[in-house]
Amino acid sequence: MRVINLSKGVGSTSCPWNDIYGTMRAAFPGLAYPSLAAPLNTNKLRIKRERCSGVPRNYFQAGLPQAILFLRLLSRRNTDTLIVHLHTPILVFVFIVARALGARLKLVTTQHNNWANFKPHQKLCLRLAASLSQAYVACGREVKHSLPASVARAAKRKGGLYSVPNGIPSQLLGSYAERRYKWMAQRGPGSEEARTIVVARMAPQKNPMHLLRLIQDIPELGKVTWFGGGPLQEEVLRERDRRGLQSRVELAGVVSREEVYQGLVEHDFYLTVSLWEGLSVADLEAVAIGCLPLMSDIPQRREIAEAVGFILLPENDLEYWRRTVQGYISMTSKERGELGLAFSKSARRSFSREAMVSSYADIYRTVWSKSSKCKR
């Protein structure tokens, strides 16, 4: 049994790359081939290198025709079951065509967002994937609940419908949480002004203009550091300047995951007003390091909030946001550090990356076992 993760790309915030493949290499050596990235803007097969959970690792990059032929070749070199773990809906056609050309493949699909948040062509691809997958996985409770009944039935009929929440590196983030607790406890009376961090792409999903409005209307948030780039970056920059927030909002750009972790250590609040998410890894990492969460109330976050024990905030209720921030501000820096550490322990206990990968390994074994019985 071998597995290859198939997605449109890899990067510092990619769950299939950092969290699934990176952890799988350590927990189950030899199980996974290097990931296959198939962006739509390339037409060559290359071996490339990118940081994966802090370690430089190789992966395959291919155009769609090259990805199809590569999977066909890989399946023929593999003596047993080759499982393609699909993370990008449109790439289901890579699997379909590779199978039509004789590749011996099994399909596992993970749906990383709520059904309503996909575009029509993506929903069509997910319906195809549900009818073809030996296992269809929702990345969290709310994602599973969002599935249309017909898709859920197709997934159950073909193979199985599962829910596996995204995971975080518990031990690593625990060390950052301890570091943050010490940093908070050492802050003196002269350094009590709050600091806020944003970790988000500048894209419509992240609601960036409303976020800037909140920052302007709630001065208690203090200075804000925003990690991330995206298609709305120029608009965000202009809106920041129009609102006179140049001295309060620093746009720090795209940085490594380690730099984000260190940023979370040195800030009081983690601010996000997303309109939708999957089970957000950035949200999990923030509370696991102990940053106090200021998060918009969307269904996908409720699984995190219930497990960790914090409240979510209605997107447009400015007074609710202000009262929540003021309640945190009324605490001493040391008290905020202790509360953050309690949140961290709950998050790391409930959403470990190791448990996530073990769940996927069990799913792969089930697929492999069914495949072996069919061969016999």
Side-chain angles (χ1 to χ4, degrees):
M1 180 179 68
R2 300 293 296 275
V3 178
I4 186 164
N5 286 281
L6 175 62
S7 61
K8 68 178 180 180
V10 305
S12 61
T13 60
S14 169
C15 171
W17 172 243
N18 285 286
D19 304 327
I20 296 178
Y21 174 67
T23 308
M24 196 169 291
R25 279 186 60 104
F28 302 98
L31 175 60
Y33 285 113
S35 295
L36 174 58
L40 302 180
N41 59 353
T42 188
N43 58 4
K44 294 181 179 179
L45 175 64
R46 301 183 179 94
I47 296 177
K48 302 192 75 174
R49 200 163 179 83
E50 178 69 53
R51 292 183 72 81
C52 176
S53 297
V55 179
R57 298 207 185 278
N58 291 336
Y59 70 97
F60 300 108
Q61 185 187 77
L64 298 187
Q66 293 77 21
I68 291 165
L69 295 175
F70 179 68
L71 287 178
R72 182 172 178 268
L73 174 64
L74 206 60
S75 77
R76 294 192 169 193
R77 294 180 61 181
N78 206 60
T79 58
D80 208 327
T81 302
L82 177 60
I83 296 171
V84 176
H85 190 162
L86 178 70
H87 301 275
T88 303
I90 192 67
L91 297 181
V92 70
F93 290 105
V94 171
F95 172 83
I96 291 171
V97 178
R99 279 278 300 268
L101 293 177
R104 299 190 298 269
L105 306 171
K106 299 295 179 182
L107 185 64
V108 171
T109 298
T110 292
Q111 182 178 315
H112 287 277
N113 215 320
N114 273 29
W115 183 264
N117 299 327
F118 289 101
K119 298 176 181 178
H121 73 278
Q122 294 171 320
K123 290 177 179 178
L124 172 62
C125 294
L126 289 171
R127 286 183 181 276
L128 281 172
S131 67
L132 294 169
S133 296
Q134 278 67 42
Y136 194 89
V137 185
C139 73
R141 182 185 68 197
E142 293 299 330
V143 173
K144 185 178 180 181
H145 290 168
S146 77
L147 291 176
S150 59
V151 175
R153 284 196 301 270
K156 292 175 183 176
R157 184 167 57 246
K158 176 62 179 178
L161 178 60
Y162 302 85
S163 175
V164 178
N166 288 338
I168 49 177
S170 299
Q171 187 172 353
L172 173 64
L173 297 186
S175 67
Y176 280 99
E178 292 292 342
R179 196 181 308 172
R180 182 182 182 278
Y181 175 73
K182 292 176 183 176
W183 179 78
M184 294 291 292
Q186 290 167 359
R187 295 173 74 191
S191 59
E192 286 293 309
E193 182 184 15
R195 302 175 65 183
T196 298
I197 188 171
V198 175
V199 184
R201 291 187 75 243
M202 296 176 188
Q205 172 189 354
K206 305 298 183 178
N207 210 4
M209 305 310 167
H210 183 61
L211 189 148
L212 288 171
R213 177 193 164 206
L214 276 179
I215 294 170
Q216 181 181 34
D217 290 346
I218 308 177
E220 294 91 341
L221 290 170
K223 290 193 173 181
V224 179
T225 305
W226 189 330
F227 290 111
L232 299 183
Q233 185 166 336
E234 291 302 318
E235 293 179 47
V236 167
L237 184 61
R238 287 195 297 270
E239 182 69 7
R240 181 198 68 170
D241 295 349
R242 188 186 73 80
R243 290 181 176 274
L245 295 172
Q246 299 94 321
S247 63
R248 285 190 58 205
V249 179
E250 176 192 359
L251 303 183
V254 179
V255 300
S256 69
R257 213 142 182 186
E258 291 76 15
E259 290 174 272
V260 171
Y261 292 163
Q262 187 57 40
L264 290 166
V265 165
E266 297 174 356
H267 286 78
D268 295 272
F269 303 128
Y270 168 79
L271 175 64
T272 173
V273 292
S274 302
L275 298 172
W276 70 86
E277 292 285 355
L279 191 68
S280 170
V281 172
D283 292 354
L284 287 171
E285 290 173 336
V287 291
I289 287 177
C291 224
L292 299 182
L294 298 170
M295 300 186 188
S296 55
D297 184 2
I298 53 177
Q300 302 91 329
R301 288 199 169 114
R302 291 170 191 163
E303 187 172 358
I304 303 174
E306 290 170 12
V308 176
F310 62 87
I311 59 170
L312 297 170
L313 308 174
E315 178 198 348
N316 293 309
D317 191 337
L318 178 63
E319 284 306 311
Y320 201 150
W321 285 79
R322 182 179 285 117
R323 289 196 303 271
T324 302
V325 173
Q326 289 172 345
Y328 284 142
I329 292 292
S330 69
M331 304 165 69
T332 67
S333 183
K334 187 174 186 297
E335 288 171 338
R336 291 201 295 271
E338 290 171 346
L339 179 60
L341 192 60
F343 286 163
S344 167
K345 290 177 180 176
S346 296
R348 289 184 284 117
R349 181 174 59 249
S350 301
F351 299 100
S352 89
R353 201 156 69 176
E354 294 74 17
M356 174 192 68
V357 167
S358 290
S359 294
Y360 275 119
D362 289 341
I363 290 169
Y364 299 151
R365 289 190 195 100
T366 300
V367 171
W368 172 80
S369 175
K370 290 179 180 178
S371 174
S372 298
K373 288 177 182 177
C374 288
K375 288 177 184 178
R376 290 197 293 270

